[in-house]
PDB file of all heavy atoms in Angstrom:
ATOM      1  N   CYS A 766     -23.474   8.511 -13.949  1.00 97.00           N
ATOM      2  CA  CYS A 766     -24.411   7.565 -14.568  1.00 97.00           C
ATOM      3  C   CYS A 766     -24.817   6.537 -13.517  1.00 97.00           C
ATOM      4  O   CYS A 766     -24.030   6.222 -12.621  1.00 97.00           O
ATOM      5  CB  CYS A 766     -23.749   6.776 -15.693  1.00 97.00           C
ATOM      6  SG  CYS A 766     -23.024   7.775 -16.976  1.00 97.00           S
ATOM      7  N   GLY A 767     -25.982   5.972 -13.681  1.00 96.00           N
ATOM      8  CA  GLY A 767     -26.416   4.855 -12.836  1.00 96.00           C
ATOM      9  C   GLY A 767     -26.358   5.211 -11.365  1.00 96.00           C
ATOM     10  O   GLY A 767     -26.830   6.268 -10.926  1.00 96.00           O
ATOM     11  N   THR A 768     -25.736   4.339 -10.613  1.00 98.00           N
ATOM     12  CA  THR A 768     -25.633   4.532  -9.168  1.00 98.00           C
ATOM     13  C   THR A 768     -24.868   5.810  -8.832  1.00 98.00           C
ATOM     14  O   THR A 768     -25.196   6.508  -7.874  1.00 98.00           O
ATOM     15  CB  THR A 768     -24.932   3.289  -8.565  1.00 98.00           C
ATOM     16  OG1 THR A 768     -25.843   2.197  -8.694  1.00 98.00           O
ATOM     17  CG2 THR A 768     -24.575   3.474  -7.128  1.00 98.00           C
ATOM     18  N   SER A 769     -23.876   6.123  -9.629  1.00 98.00           N
ATOM     19  CA  SER A 769     -23.088   7.334  -9.356  1.00 98.00           C
ATOM     20  C   SER A 769     -23.957   8.587  -9.526  1.00 98.00           C
ATOM     21  O   SER A 769     -23.778   9.576  -8.809  1.00 98.00           O
ATOM     22  CB  SER A 769     -21.883   7.408 -10.292  1.00 98.00           C
ATOM     23  OG  SER A 769     -21.019   6.334 -10.031  1.00 98.00           O
ATOM     24  N   ILE A 811     -18.836  12.020 -10.933  1.00 98.00           N
ATOM     25  CA  ILE A 811     -18.755  10.835 -10.082  1.00 98.00           C
ATOM     26  C   ILE A 811     -18.734   9.582 -10.945  1.00 98.00           C
ATOM     27  O   ILE A 811     -19.600   9.403 -11.805  1.00 98.00           O
ATOM     28  CB  ILE A 811     -19.955  10.754  -9.108  1.00 98.00           C
ATOM     29  CG1 ILE A 811     -20.114  12.079  -8.359  1.00 98.00           C
ATOM     30  CG2 ILE A 811     -19.781   9.602  -8.132  1.00 98.00           C
ATOM     31  CD1 ILE A 811     -21.238  12.072  -7.335  1.00 98.00           C
ATOM     32  N   SER A 812     -17.738   8.735 -10.730  1.00 97.00           N
ATOM     33  CA  SER A 812     -17.668   7.472 -11.463  1.00 97.00           C
ATOM     34  C   SER A 812     -16.829   6.504 -10.655  1.00 97.00           C
ATOM     35  O   SER A 812     -15.643   6.747 -10.455  1.00 97.00           O
ATOM     36  CB  SER A 812     -17.029   7.699 -12.833  1.00 97.00           C
ATOM     37  OG  SER A 812     -16.784   6.464 -13.457  1.00 97.00           O
ATOM     38  N   GLN A 813     -17.457   5.424 -10.188  1.00 94.00           N
ATOM     39  CA  GLN A 813     -16.660   4.504  -9.357  1.00 94.00           C
ATOM     40  C   GLN A 813     -15.479   3.941 -10.144  1.00 94.00           C
ATOM     41  O   GLN A 813     -14.384   3.841  -9.640  1.00 94.00           O
ATOM     42  CB  GLN A 813     -17.510   3.409  -8.703  1.00 94.00           C
ATOM     43  CG  GLN A 813     -18.121   2.335  -9.604  1.00 94.00           C
ATOM     44  CD  GLN A 813     -17.160   1.241 -10.027  1.00 94.00           C
ATOM     45  OE1 GLN A 813     -16.135   1.038  -9.374  1.00 94.00           O
ATOM     46  NE2 GLN A 813     -17.468   0.570 -11.108  1.00 94.00           N
ATOM     47  N   SER A 814     -15.721   3.582 -11.410  1.00 89.00           N
ATOM     48  CA  SER A 814     -14.653   2.985 -12.218  1.00 89.00           C
ATOM     49  C   SER A 814     -13.685   4.037 -12.752  1.00 89.00           C
ATOM     50  O   SER A 814     -12.544   3.739 -13.065  1.00 89.00           O
ATOM     51  CB  SER A 814     -15.255   2.242 -13.407  1.00 89.00           C
ATOM     52  OG  SER A 814     -15.937   3.166 -14.246  1.00 89.00           O
ATOM     53  N   GLY A 815     -14.187   5.240 -12.907  1.00 90.00           N
ATOM     54  CA  GLY A 815     -13.386   6.293 -13.520  1.00 90.00           C
ATOM     55  C   GLY A 815     -13.216   6.114 -15.018  1.00 90.00           C
ATOM     56  O   GLY A 815     -12.420   6.810 -15.660  1.00 90.00           O
ATOM     57  N   THR A 817     -16.172   5.338 -17.194  1.00 90.00           N
ATOM     58  CA  THR A 817     -17.458   5.373 -17.898  1.00 90.00           C
ATOM     59  C   THR A 817     -17.426   6.435 -19.007  1.00 90.00           C
ATOM     60  O   THR A 817     -17.189   7.620 -18.729  1.00 90.00           O
ATOM     61  CB  THR A 817     -18.596   5.646 -16.895  1.00 90.00           C
ATOM     62  OG1 THR A 817     -18.587   4.582 -15.961  1.00 90.00           O
ATOM     63  CG2 THR A 817     -19.948   5.722 -17.574  1.00 90.00           C
ATOM     64  N   THR A 820     -19.440   9.719 -18.679  1.00 96.00           N
ATOM     65  CA  THR A 820     -18.965  10.646 -17.641  1.00 96.00           C
ATOM     66  C   THR A 820     -17.643  11.285 -18.063  1.00 96.00           C
ATOM     67  O   THR A 820     -17.407  12.475 -17.806  1.00 96.00           O
ATOM     68  CB  THR A 820     -18.871   9.926 -16.274  1.00 96.00           C
ATOM     69  OG1 THR A 820     -20.149   9.355 -15.992  1.00 96.00           O
ATOM     70  CG2 THR A 820     -18.477  10.857 -15.158  1.00 96.00           C
ATOM     71  N   VAL A 863     -21.300  -6.612  -9.974  1.00 89.00           N
ATOM     72  CA  VAL A 863     -21.695  -5.569 -10.937  1.00 89.00           C
ATOM     73  C   VAL A 863     -22.531  -4.482 -10.251  1.00 89.00           C
ATOM     74  O   VAL A 863     -22.380  -3.290 -10.524  1.00 89.00           O
ATOM     75  CB  VAL A 863     -22.446  -6.199 -12.136  1.00 89.00           C
ATOM     76  CG1 VAL A 863     -23.193  -5.144 -12.930  1.00 89.00           C
ATOM     77  CG2 VAL A 863     -21.448  -6.911 -13.050  1.00 89.00           C
ATOM     78  N   ALA A 864     -23.402  -4.887  -9.340  1.00 94.00           N
ATOM     79  CA  ALA A 864     -24.237  -3.888  -8.658  1.00 94.00           C
ATOM     80  C   ALA A 864     -23.365  -3.115  -7.665  1.00 94.00           C
ATOM     81  O   ALA A 864     -22.763  -3.699  -6.764  1.00 94.00           O
ATOM     82  CB  ALA A 864     -25.376  -4.586  -7.936  1.00 94.00           C
ATOM     83  N   ALA A 865     -23.309  -1.805  -7.862  1.00 96.00           N
ATOM     84  CA  ALA A 865     -22.464  -0.979  -6.991  1.00 96.00           C
ATOM     85  C   ALA A 865     -23.093  -0.888  -5.601  1.00 96.00           C
ATOM     86  O   ALA A 865     -24.283  -0.604  -5.471  1.00 96.00           O
ATOM     87  CB  ALA A 865     -22.318   0.403  -7.599  1.00 96.00           C
ATOM     88  N   GLN A 872     -19.053   7.026  -2.105  1.00 98.00           N
ATOM     89  CA  GLN A 872     -19.259   8.260  -2.895  1.00 98.00           C
ATOM     90  C   GLN A 872     -20.016   9.282  -2.029  1.00 98.00           C
ATOM     91  O   GLN A 872     -19.713  10.474  -2.049  1.00 98.00           O
ATOM     92  CB  GLN A 872     -20.073   7.958  -4.158  1.00 98.00           C
ATOM     93  CG  GLN A 872     -19.249   7.280  -5.254  1.00 98.00           C
ATOM     94  CD  GLN A 872     -20.113   6.715  -6.371  1.00 98.00           C
ATOM     95  OE1 GLN A 872     -21.345   6.694  -6.300  1.00 98.00           O
ATOM     96  NE2 GLN A 872     -19.468   6.225  -7.413  1.00 98.00           N
ATOM     97  N   LYS A 950     -31.125  -1.132  -7.541  1.00 97.00           N
ATOM     98  CA  LYS A 950     -30.529  -2.391  -7.060  1.00 97.00           C
ATOM     99  C   LYS A 950     -31.509  -3.537  -7.292  1.00 97.00           C
ATOM    100  O   LYS A 950     -31.130  -4.609  -7.752  1.00 97.00           O
ATOM    101  CB  LYS A 950     -30.214  -2.337  -5.558  1.00 97.00           C
ATOM    102  CG  LYS A 950     -29.086  -1.441  -5.107  1.00 97.00           C
ATOM    103  CD  LYS A 950     -27.728  -1.861  -5.575  1.00 97.00           C
ATOM    104  CE  LYS A 950     -27.413  -1.335  -6.917  1.00 97.00           C
ATOM    105  NZ  LYS A 950     -26.511  -0.322  -7.187  1.00 97.00           N
ATOM    106  N   GLU A 953     -31.839  -4.413 -11.073  1.00 95.00           N
ATOM    107  CA  GLU A 953     -30.679  -4.996 -11.757  1.00 95.00           C
ATOM    108  C   GLU A 953     -30.317  -6.386 -11.261  1.00 95.00           C
ATOM    109  O   GLU A 953     -29.849  -7.198 -12.034  1.00 95.00           O
ATOM    110  CB  GLU A 953     -29.471  -4.050 -11.781  1.00 95.00           C
ATOM    111  CG  GLU A 953     -28.810  -3.724 -10.484  1.00 95.00           C
ATOM    112  CD  GLU A 953     -27.707  -2.686 -10.625  1.00 95.00           C
ATOM    113  OE1 GLU A 953     -27.117  -2.535 -11.697  1.00 95.00           O
ATOM    114  OE2 GLU A 953     -27.425  -2.010  -9.614  1.00 95.00           O
ATOM    115  N   ILE A1066     -26.033  -6.470 -18.176  1.00 75.00           N
ATOM    116  CA  ILE A1066     -25.389  -5.233 -17.721  1.00 75.00           C
ATOM    117  C   ILE A1066     -23.924  -5.461 -17.355  1.00 75.00           C
ATOM    118  O   ILE A1066     -23.533  -6.542 -16.937  1.00 75.00           O
ATOM    119  CB  ILE A1066     -26.135  -4.512 -16.566  1.00 75.00           C
ATOM    120  CG1 ILE A1066     -26.366  -5.445 -15.398  1.00 75.00           C
ATOM    121  CG2 ILE A1066     -27.424  -3.890 -17.024  1.00 75.00           C
ATOM    122  CD1 ILE A1066     -26.954  -4.734 -14.191  1.00 75.00           C
ATOM    123  N   ALA A1067     -23.162  -4.393 -17.553  1.00 78.00           N
ATOM    124  CA  ALA A1067     -21.719  -4.506 -17.331  1.00 78.00           C
ATOM    125  C   ALA A1067     -21.330  -3.619 -16.165  1.00 78.00           C
ATOM    126  O   ALA A1067     -22.019  -2.658 -15.834  1.00 78.00           O
ATOM    127  CB  ALA A1067     -20.981  -4.051 -18.577  1.00 78.00           C
ATOM    128  N   LYS A1068     -20.239  -3.959 -15.552  1.00 77.00           N
ATOM    129  CA  LYS A1068     -19.746  -3.164 -14.425  1.00 77.00           C
ATOM    130  C   LYS A1068     -19.275  -1.795 -14.910  1.00 77.00           C
ATOM    131  O   LYS A1068     -19.534  -0.782 -14.289  1.00 77.00           O
ATOM    132  CB  LYS A1068     -18.588  -3.916 -13.755  1.00 77.00           C
ATOM    133  CG  LYS A1068     -17.982  -3.209 -12.577  1.00 77.00           C
ATOM    134  CD  LYS A1068     -18.570  -3.701 -11.281  1.00 77.00           C
ATOM    135  CE  LYS A1068     -18.199  -2.850 -10.096  1.00 77.00           C
ATOM    136  NZ  LYS A1068     -19.341  -2.596  -9.215  1.00 77.00           N
ATOM    137  N   THR A1069     -18.549  -1.807 -16.001  1.00 76.00           N
ATOM    138  CA  THR A1069     -18.018  -0.547 -16.500  1.00 76.00           C
ATOM    139  C   THR A1069     -18.434  -0.390 -17.954  1.00 76.00           C
ATOM    140  O   THR A1069     -18.203  -1.294 -18.770  1.00 76.00           O
ATOM    141  CB  THR A1069     -16.482  -0.547 -16.392  1.00 76.00           C
ATOM    142  OG1 THR A1069     -16.153  -0.845 -15.038  1.00 76.00           O
ATOM    143  CG2 THR A1069     -15.895   0.797 -16.760  1.00 76.00           C
ATOM    144  N   VAL A1070     -19.056   0.732 -18.254  1.00 75.00           N
ATOM    145  CA  VAL A1070     -19.603   0.921 -19.599  1.00 75.00           C
ATOM    146  C   VAL A1070     -18.723   1.921 -20.341  1.00 75.00           C
ATOM    147  O   VAL A1070     -18.768   3.118 -20.077  1.00 75.00           O
ATOM    148  CB  VAL A1070     -21.073   1.400 -19.526  1.00 75.00           C
ATOM    149  CG1 VAL A1070     -21.645   1.559 -20.918  1.00 75.00           C
ATOM    150  CG2 VAL A1070     -21.914   0.411 -18.727  1.00 75.00           C
TER     151      VAL A1070
HETATM  152  C1  G6P B1295     -22.850   0.645 -15.009  1.00 77.57           C
HETATM  153  C2  G6P B1295     -22.858  -0.179 -13.718  1.00 77.57           C
HETATM  154  C3  G6P B1295     -23.481   0.624 -12.582  1.00 77.57           C
HETATM  155  C4  G6P B1295     -22.765   1.952 -12.428  1.00 77.57           C
HETATM  156  C5  G6P B1295     -22.718   2.732 -13.743  1.00 77.57           C
HETATM  157  C6  G6P B1295     -21.800   3.925 -13.648  1.00 77.57           C
HETATM  158  O1  G6P B1295     -24.160   0.845 -15.421  1.00 77.57           O
HETATM  159  O2  G6P B1295     -23.575  -1.372 -13.915  1.00 77.57           O
HETATM  160  O3  G6P B1295     -23.381  -0.101 -11.359  1.00 77.57           O
HETATM  161  O4  G6P B1295     -23.414   2.708 -11.452  1.00 77.57           O
HETATM  162  O5  G6P B1295     -22.207   1.905 -14.791  1.00 77.57           O
HETATM  163  O6  G6P B1295     -20.499   3.465 -13.454  1.00 77.57           O
HETATM  164  P1  G6P B1295     -19.342   4.343 -12.861  1.00 77.57           P
HETATM  165  O7  G6P B1295     -18.136   3.447 -12.895  1.00 77.57           O
HETATM  166  O8  G6P B1295     -19.186   5.537 -13.748  1.00 77.57           O
HETATM  167  O9  G6P B1295     -19.738   4.725 -11.484  1.00 77.57           O
END
Side-chain angles (χ1 to χ4, degrees):
C766 304
T768 291
S769 296
I811 309 182
S812 171
Q813 69 79 21
S814 63
T817 299
T820 305
V863 164
Q872 283 168 353
K950 290 294 86 108
E953 67 185 335
I1066 54 174
K1068 180 96 191 136
T1069 306
V1070 181

